[in-house]
């Protein structure tokens, strides 16, 4: 049995198309989707249409889908939430209904019934000494500020993070799974912990593991054994960036779109730095009215851009010395 495991498209329709085409050519027999299909890029309806058309597919929802059901009308004018409102507004009632009925978790037996795959969006996470989630793409960025991490380095970082979580073995036993499939961190890896394969196919639409392209994983099951093949499909990222910038929705969530396009082109997580700065901006000013909160958002965006430009300049200087 050959499974194609896909996560975190985030509205990147060309990336999802490229992955599906590659997986079909590779002989995928079943598609396993791990949530966060929409919102960060403005192609929600195209994403939903192609997902609903797929035979032999299993879906779980992600936090981007959960948010659509809990939006506060008072947040509608806030830049931070604009992309979510645009996504919800773009979906037809039947499309939104399909999204809302997606389960949060799923258990899938192998064809011989001997093994179980457990699917959910979020990973079984630990907290680091600062109380932040780990493994996380933002933490990876901090560990490798001046050079890109290799796939092997990502896997070592992830395994170390999981082993630091004393509650993980108990949680994995409760799932009863041989393979725990998850997304959310936008990192691609397949590591074994406590006899369970923890597999994240990476973010199809917004990879933050220092490598461009659209990642996914082929998972093969044969004679009681699983093997994982990590794949990364090339597509025209620059054309997609232009399509996003030219979309009617772009200016309605311009700040959020800019942040995500920077991340897409760099394949790095800027969110951790951005939200830390945003919190500082909110504490420095009143940030009570919608206008004040949006001003704080854009100040944080400018400071984030300056931070990474300065970091890149320092890195270039160190390499030349």
């Amino acid at each position: 049995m050959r499974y194609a495991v896909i996560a975190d498209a985030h509205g990147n329709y060309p990336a999802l198309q490229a992955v599906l085409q590659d997986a079909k050519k590779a002989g995928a027999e079943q598609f396993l989707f791990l949530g966060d299909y929409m919102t960060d890029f403005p192609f929600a309806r195209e994403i939903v249409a192609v997902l609903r058309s797929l035979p032999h597919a299993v879906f779980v929802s992600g936090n981007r889908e959960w948010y659509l059901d809990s939006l506060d009308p008072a947040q509608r004018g806030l830049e931070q939430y604009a992309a979510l409102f645009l996504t919800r507004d773009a979906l037809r009632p039947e499309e939104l209904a399909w999204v809302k009925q997606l389960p949060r978790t799923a258990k899938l037996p192998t064809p011989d019934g001997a093994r179980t795959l457990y699917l959910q969006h979020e990973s079984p996470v630990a907290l680091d000494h600062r109380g932040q989630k780990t493994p996380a793409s933002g933490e990876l960025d901090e560990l490798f500020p001046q050079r890109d991490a290799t796939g092997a380095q990502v896997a070592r970082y992830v395994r170390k993070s999981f082993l630091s979580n004393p509650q993980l073995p108990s949680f994995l036993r409760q799932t009863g799974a041989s393979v725990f499939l998850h997304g959310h961190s936008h990192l691609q890896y397949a590591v074994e912990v406590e006899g369970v394969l923890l597999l994240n196919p990476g973010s199809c639409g917004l990879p933050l593991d220092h490598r461009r392209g659209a990642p996914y994983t082929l998972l093969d099951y044969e004679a009681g054994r699983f093997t994982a093949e990590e794949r990364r499909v090339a597509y025209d990222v620059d054309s997609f960036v232009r399509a996003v910038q030219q979309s009617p929705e772009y200016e309605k969530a311009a700040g959020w779109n800019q942040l995500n396009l920077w991340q897409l082109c760099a394949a790095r997580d800027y969110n951790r730095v951005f939200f830390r700065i945003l919190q500082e901006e909110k504490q420095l000013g009143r940030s009570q009215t919608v206008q004040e909160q949006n001003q704080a958002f854009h100040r944080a965006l400018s400071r984030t851009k300056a931070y990474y430009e300065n970091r890149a300049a320092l890195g270039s200087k160190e390499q030349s010395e």
Side-chain angles (χ1 to χ4, degrees):
M1 183 68 173
R2 172 162 281 190
Y3 305 95
V5 189
I6 303 168
D8 295 276
H10 285 271
N12 189 334
Y13 184 54
L16 179 60
Q17 285 181 308
V19 161
L20 292 175
Q21 184 177 24
D22 187 79
K24 290 173 182 177
K25 287 182 179 178
E29 299 168 82
Q30 189 166 33
F31 294 90
L32 308 180
F33 289 93
L34 304 176
D36 273 14
Y37 307 109
M38 304 167 290
T39 74
D40 287 309
F41 297 115
F43 300 98
R45 293 196 60 203
E46 293 86 344
I47 292 281
V48 171
V50 73
L51 294 180
R52 294 179 72 188
S53 71
L54 288 172
H56 312 299
V58 177
F59 302 93
V60 295
S61 60
N63 54 288
R64 287 298 190 267
E65 287 72 57
W66 310 337
Y67 295 159
L68 296 181
D69 206 29
S70 59
L71 287 172
D72 183 346
Q75 298 171 332
R76 178 170 281 276
L78 296 177
E79 181 88 22
Q80 186 172 345
Y81 302 99
L84 289 165
F85 280 101
L86 287 170
T87 296
R88 194 176 68 177
D89 293 346
L91 295 176
R92 293 170 176 162
E94 65 272 18
E95 295 166 336
L96 192 57
W98 181 83
V99 171
K100 289 183 177 182
Q101 60 81 39
L102 296 175
R104 290 204 175 197
T105 64
K107 280 189 175 183
L108 185 67
T110 54
D112 60 5
R115 299 285 187 271
T116 301
L117 294 89
Y118 186 90
L119 288 68
Q120 73 174 37
H121 176 65
E122 293 184 314
S123 63
V125 294
L127 297 178
D128 66 12
H129 65 281
R130 296 163 297 183
Q132 298 190 21
K133 288 184 178 180
T134 177
S137 49
E139 186 175 43
L140 186 74
D141 178 70
E142 292 173 354
L143 291 172
F144 295 89
Q146 303 299 351
R147 59 186 177 88
D148 291 340
T150 65
Q153 287 171 325
V154 171
R156 285 197 295 271
Y157 154 70
V158 167
R159 192 169 191 278
K160 182 179 178 181
S161 296
F162 280 135
L163 289 173
S164 71
N165 184 349
Q167 299 177 335
L168 182 61
S170 174
F171 176 80
L172 293 176
R173 284 194 296 271
Q174 291 175 17
T175 68
S178 303
V179 182
F180 186 101
L181 304 172
H182 57 280
H184 190 57
S185 70
H186 294 223
L187 304 176
Q188 187 179 41
Y189 51 82
V191 299
E192 188 170 312
V193 179
E194 297 290 330
V196 177
L197 181 62
L198 294 164
L199 190 154
N200 187 329
S203 172
C204 162
L206 189 56
L208 301 177
D209 52 5
H210 306 178
R211 290 173 290 167
R212 293 202 350 168
Y216 79 103
T217 298
L218 289 174
L219 180 66
D220 287 308
Y221 178 74
E222 186 175 358
R225 293 175 59 86
F226 289 99
T227 56
E229 179 189 348
E230 295 179 346
R231 296 172 75 96
R232 195 162 295 241
V233 187
Y235 71 101
D236 194 337
V237 175
D238 296 332
S239 289
F240 176 68
V241 169
R242 289 192 294 271
V244 172
Q245 292 171 333
Q246 294 167 5
S247 69
E249 293 85 359
Y250 180 81
E251 288 300 330
K252 298 175 183 177
W256 192 249
N257 281 321
Q258 288 171 22
L259 179 63
N260 283 298
L261 288 178
W262 294 343
Q263 295 186 118
L264 177 67
C265 292
R268 282 180 174 269
D269 186 341
Y270 296 167
N271 277 307
R272 180 174 288 205
V273 170
F274 170 75
F275 280 107
R276 186 187 71 225
I277 294 174
L278 179 60
Q279 187 61 32
E280 292 174 2
E281 287 290 340
K282 288 181 177 180
Q283 291 172 349
L284 288 170
R286 292 176 58 219
S287 297
Q288 294 178 351
T289 68
V290 168
Q291 183 179 12
E292 288 168 342
Q293 291 186 61
N294 286 342
Q295 289 171 345
F297 183 96
H298 282 278
R299 287 195 301 271
L301 197 66
S302 296
R303 288 179 57 190
T304 300
K305 184 179 181 181
Y307 169 87
Y308 282 101
E309 287 175 346
N310 290 337
R311 195 175 80 171
L314 286 173
S316 298
K317 182 179 179 181
E318 289 175 3
Q319 290 175 6
S320 63
E321 292 178 348

